[in-house]
Amino acid sequence: IRSSASPRRPPGSAEGAGLSVLVTGAAGFVGTHCALALRRRGDGVVGIDNFNSYYDPSLKKARRALLGSHGVFVVEGDVNDGRLLAKLFDVVPFTHVLHLAAQAGVRYAMENPASYVHSNVAGLVSLLEACKDADPQPAVVWASSSSVYGLNDRVPFSEAHRTDRPASLYAATKKAGEEITHTYNHIYGLSVTGLRFFTVYGPWGRPDMAYFSFTRNILQGKPITVYRGRDHVDLARDFTYIDDIVRGCLASLDTAGRSTGTGGKKRGPAPYRIFNLGNTSPVTVPTLVAILERYLRVKAKKNVIEMPGNGDVPYTHANISLAREQLGYKPTTSLEMGLKKFVRWYLSYYGYNRGTHTFRNS
Ligand code: NAD
């Protein structure tokens, strides 16, 4: 651990000048990409992940192997384990924490609500406790979600819009996370940046997300279920490519400013920020399917049904003015381009043979 994390970054220095970052959820989709990007520019990175089985554990292990081959060590552990976190902070004087560990997915909340409370509420508090007790206190950048906008009908969503109508338990835990982090900011002087990601997709993605599961089913000739909103309106999402999200995360770390407390005591006001990280151009789900069909060269068997009230919202659309202004955030990847990269990765990762329609790796 000592060798892969660098000492404190000089204030105001250029990117890659020696951040020392604890990435939680490092074996996850966004965590893997962020940890790799930090490592590539020369920052010190240690990951932690509990490798839960919400989706294919072998994909998480493959991501861990990829990280390992780039010198990023991932500790297997739960963010609820305060003793483990304290030990990590003892060994490494982390300047920053990028907190991405969470129970993701809106629909699974109906099956396993406790997992959302465990990771997104209790786990977040456990992590913040460790951060506030650490000396030096790290700056915290963490993943909230566009889901906090819930059933908002004012679009595009900007950070000042109401977030008091969550449509799922997942959204409610992210909203709770924003309140909890704000509390740690003003009581303990923790520097906090919350990032509201909008539907992130790309290589090494999450198999539970529509673009990923559609790809699998289309290639296997199985039907896909496409939800439609009331009055036959198509669902639309502000799909955001992973590389754009990574740039937003790194810019947030670089501009986070210092925490002002130490050993649980606040010494002055610390920054508290919230940013949307989206793409600003929503695309309907049927359009997403059409793009996939083109790249996969297979027609989808579509089962179109009305959206059951299971936590999904009909529409998301980010206003990113604040992130553009303060982080220099500028998404550059269209859904067409991003899906092309995703499909290329998918076919290669699973060893798909176009001739025999079979997969070498299941
Ligand atoms: P992911 O599920 O791939 O990654 C989360 C990782 O956290 C997983 O590897 C999981 O094993 C780990 N984890 C979960 N609970 C843990 C715990 N208690 N202790 C330690 N590790 C734990 O999800 P992702 O898509 O990479 O999402 C990263 C973050 O971004 C999450 O906070 C998610 O809620 C948020 N987010 C993602 C999206 C998206 O579209 N991918 C959109 C909005 C917000």
Side-chain angles (χ1 to χ4, degrees):
I1 293 174
R2 271 181 203 286
S3 63
S4 69
S6 317
R8 180 178 272 282
R9 174 179 182 237
S13 60
E15 65 167 21
L19 268 63
S20 172
V21 189
L22 175 65
V23 178
T24 75
F29 167 39
V30 181
T32 297
H33 282 276
C34 285
L36 281 177
L38 286 165
R39 194 73 197 121
R40 267 191 222 114
R41 63 177 212 180
D43 294 315
V45 189
V46 174
I48 179 170
D49 201 295
N50 69 359
F51 291 87
N52 69 33
S53 54
Y54 168 56
Y55 61 76
D56 184 11
S58 72
L59 182 57
K60 292 186 185 178
K61 287 197 184 115
R63 293 191 194 121
R64 169 150 77 174
L66 177 69
L67 288 168
S69 70
H70 286 79
V72 178
F73 180 64
V74 182
V75 177
E76 180 157 359
D78 197 294
V79 290
N80 282 282
D81 185 343
R83 283 218 292 215
L84 172 63
L85 293 180
K87 261 191 215 151
L88 284 172
F89 279 105
D90 244 15
V91 177
V92 185
F94 292 111
T95 56
H96 295 76
V97 169
L98 179 57
H99 178 53
L100 300 167
Q103 177 57 61
V106 295
R107 295 177 205 154
Y108 183 62
M110 296 190 137
E111 267 171 63
N112 189 353
S115 65
Y116 290 79
V117 179
H118 174 82
S119 290
N120 306 4
V121 181
L124 174 65
V125 171
S126 162
L127 179 86
L128 294 170
E129 279 291 307
C131 292
K132 74 118 180 21
D133 288 338
D135 184 13
Q137 276 185 347
V140 177
V141 174
W142 77 287
S144 179
S145 163
S146 63
S147 66
V148 299
Y149 293 110
L151 302 167
N152 222 305
D153 39 25
R154 281 181 65 201
V155 285
F157 302 150
S158 68
E159 290 82 350
H161 281 188
R162 61 188 293 189
T163 55
D164 58 350
R165 287 184 297 177
S168 65
L169 179 64
Y170 170 71
T173 60
K174 289 294 182 181
K175 167 75 178 157
E178 293 189 353
E179 305 292 353
I180 291 166
T181 51
H182 202 185
T183 307
Y184 274 77
N185 165 261
H186 67 76
I187 295 185
Y188 299 114
L190 272 185
S191 159
V192 172
T193 306
L195 301 175
R196 294 175 178 165
F197 296 164
F198 283 69
T199 317
V200 193
Y201 73 98
W204 295 98
R206 273 190 14 226
D208 60 313
M209 292 183 71
Y211 73 95
F212 200 116
S213 62
F214 284 178
T215 300
R216 192 172 38 219
N217 281 15
I218 292 171
L219 287 173
Q220 290 177 338
K222 292 183 185 160
I224 60 172
T225 301
V226 176
Y227 292 142
R228 202 163 46 190
R230 290 208 185 91
D231 304 324
H232 301 288
V233 177
D234 289 327
L235 265 57
R237 290 284 175 277
D238 197 359
F239 295 101
T240 311
Y241 189 62
I242 182 67
D243 290 359
D244 290 322
I245 290 290
V246 169
R247 275 192 290 275
C249 290
L250 268 53
S252 300
L253 291 166
D254 289 338
T255 56
R258 287 171 186 253
S259 292
T260 59
T262 180
K265 295 223 170 54
K266 177 181 168 180
R267 298 265 157 87
Y272 179 81
R273 312 180 297 172
I274 296 238
F275 295 111
N276 285 341
L277 293 186
N279 193 44
T280 71
S281 35
V283 173
T284 66
V285 176
T287 303
L288 167 88
V289 174
I291 300 172
L292 283 176
E293 287 177 326
R294 186 146 41 80
Y295 290 138
L296 297 172
R297 298 185 222 152
V298 183
K299 268 278 176 239
K301 294 177 186 151
K302 281 177 271 185
N303 203 351
V304 182
I305 61 168
E306 188 165 316
M307 184 171 70
N310 60 3
D312 276 311
V313 294
Y315 192 78
T316 65
H317 183 178
N319 174 326
I320 56 163
S321 306
L322 200 61
R324 191 183 289 130
E325 205 176 282
Q326 295 190 21
L327 303 176
Y329 171 74
K330 192 167 165 260
T332 57
T333 315
S334 66
L335 185 61
E336 290 260 350
M337 189 46 75
L339 280 181
K340 190 174 187 177
K341 292 182 182 178
F342 165 72
V343 166
R344 197 182 301 141
W345 168 83
Y346 186 97
L347 298 179
S348 144
Y349 181 76
Y350 290 105
Y352 183 70
N353 183 321
R354 283 196 195 269
T356 56
H357 300 290
T358 53
F359 296 92
R360 198 172 50 246
N361 315 313
S362 54

